[in-house]
Amino acid sequence: MNIQHVGIIGAGTMGQGIAQAIAGKGLEVVLLDQTQAELEQAKQGLELALDRRLTRWGITEAEKKVTLSRILLTTDANELQGCELVIECVWEQLEAKSEALQLAEAVVGPDAILVSNTSTLSLTEIAAQTERPERVIGLHFHYPPERRELVEVVRGLKTSEATFQAAFQFVKELGKTAIQVYESPGYVTSRLMLPLINEAAAIVAEGVASERDVDTAMKVGYGFSYGPLEIADLFGLDSVVDMLEGLYFETADPRYRPAAYLRKLVRAGHLGIKARQGFYRYDEAGEVRV
């Protein structure tokens, strides 16, 4: 399947990053959201992210302009017509994700692939809300998707082999490393990382070690590029709590019950980099304030 036009529903942080990763490989992207205000924020976010890469010699000014030119920001779902593949990047809630794929299904052709970027919800349950569950698959990109190489390619119960092969090849053509995952709550990476974040938050709350020392222990001791609390701030602490709650609901495993300190930070509005404060405080460029 020759995928040249990709739709993305949800112009938040993940949607922007995935759009950047795909447009950077020469594909045309339609980035859809509900309001012009959200699209304006997305435009600013895309420009800021590309400017960061520009200052670090990751891209040229010409490459920045070409990447942006390949991304159409719109509130009109009809613009998804002609997309061979559509990715939903909306809030981590079953109803929202199901509605996003239903919206795409009503517009695109019968052979188009419908993708969920969910990290904890049941892909089979999401696909069951569509008319063609065999065309539904999960692509779990990792934040920030324009820089992270790994993508989990997740089969639902009814995902066809043709859909899987097309999605797997699509990920490889983006220059990413794809792994095959059969649906299970949390897949591989969320199932491993979320309990680690949860325990790290509990260690800080108990006064055993500071945020920085917990992260240093994992980076120096185990070779992590980012510590678990840095990763939590990247994800967004509200998203971390939502994902933990989803896993806890699915499994009833106490490992996934959100730590009280995580909930406390979310209630205080300390959501991570996007709020400029989480476990750490951040400047406008997303760098940790010393």
Side-chain angles (χ1 to χ4, degrees):
M1 185 176 184
N2 184 26
I3 297 172
Q4 294 295 320
H5 301 84
V6 177
I8 299 174
I9 302 176
T13 304
M14 283 301 293
Q16 293 168 35
I18 294 172
Q20 185 186 151
I22 294 172
K25 291 298 182 179
L27 280 66
E28 300 296 323
V29 177
V30 176
L31 185 55
L32 178 72
D33 216 315
Q34 293 179 320
T35 68
Q36 286 296 335
E38 289 166 323
L39 293 178
E40 185 59 35
Q41 286 185 333
K43 181 180 178 182
Q44 293 173 4
L46 285 164
E47 290 179 345
L48 180 60
L50 290 167
D51 283 340
R52 286 178 192 156
R53 294 185 62 193
L54 188 63
T55 58
R56 294 169 182 168
W57 301 93
I59 57 173
T60 65
E61 182 67 35
E63 287 172 326
K64 171 192 168 182
K65 291 179 179 178
V66 170
T67 298
L68 288 173
S69 73
R70 295 192 182 114
I71 302 173
L72 171 65
L73 293 96
T74 182
T75 59
D76 184 2
N78 289 316
E79 294 286 358
L80 296 174
Q81 291 179 9
C83 290
E84 298 91 7
L85 182 145
V86 179
I87 307 169
E88 68 75 16
C89 294
V90 300
W91 198 248
E92 191 73 3
Q93 294 176 344
L94 179 64
E95 184 177 353
K97 291 184 176 294
S98 297
E99 287 178 355
L101 291 190
Q102 289 169 2
L103 174 67
E105 187 177 38
V107 177
V108 299
D111 295 327
I113 297 174
L114 303 177
V115 176
S116 175
N117 185 46
T118 183
S119 56
T120 57
L121 298 175
S122 168
L123 183 67
T124 296
E125 191 169 1
I126 293 171
Q129 310 305 313
T130 70
E131 295 182 3
R132 298 187 294 275
E134 71 280 0
R135 304 297 294 173
V136 178
I137 196 164
L139 292 182
H140 182 210
F141 289 82
H142 292 73
Y143 184 84
E146 68 273 19
R147 298 207 307 267
R148 293 287 171 264
E149 292 187 7
L150 180 67
V151 178
E152 293 175 286
V153 184
V154 187
R155 289 176 178 264
L157 183 62
K158 293 188 176 181
T159 303
S160 70
E161 181 64 23
T163 297
F164 169 76
Q165 292 296 340
F168 199 88
Q169 184 61 31
F170 169 71
V171 171
K172 290 173 64 177
E173 289 176 359
L174 293 181
K176 307 289 188 184
T177 298
I179 64 169
Q180 178 179 194
V181 178
Y182 290 90
E183 182 187 333
S184 175
Y187 311 143
V188 175
T189 53
S190 295
R191 187 170 173 176
L192 291 170
M193 183 53 63
L194 287 172
L196 179 59
I197 291 172
N198 217 24
E199 189 63 24
I203 287 171
V204 170
E206 291 168 15
V208 176
S210 69
E211 293 90 343
R212 193 172 300 279
D213 285 344
V214 168
D215 282 340
T216 298
M218 299 310 295
K219 290 190 288 186
V220 177
Y222 290 92
F224 281 36
S225 298
Y226 292 87
L229 302 178
E230 292 173 324
I231 291 171
D233 276 357
L234 283 168
F235 284 172
L237 301 193
D238 52 343
S239 295
V240 170
V241 169
D242 282 345
M243 289 188 288
L244 283 165
E245 287 178 338
L247 285 173
Y248 185 53
F249 176 81
E250 287 285 339
T251 66
D253 191 325
R255 289 180 299 170
Y256 302 121
R257 186 168 55 211
Y261 187 50
L262 273 173
R263 293 187 186 277
K264 181 178 180 180
L265 290 174
V266 171
R267 285 195 295 267
H270 297 180
L271 307 182
I273 288 179
K274 62 187 176 184
R276 298 189 192 169
Q277 187 164 0
F279 286 103
Y280 300 94
R281 297 185 67 187
Y282 299 88
D283 61 22
E284 291 184 1
E287 302 295 334
V288 176
R289 292 181 181 176
V290 178

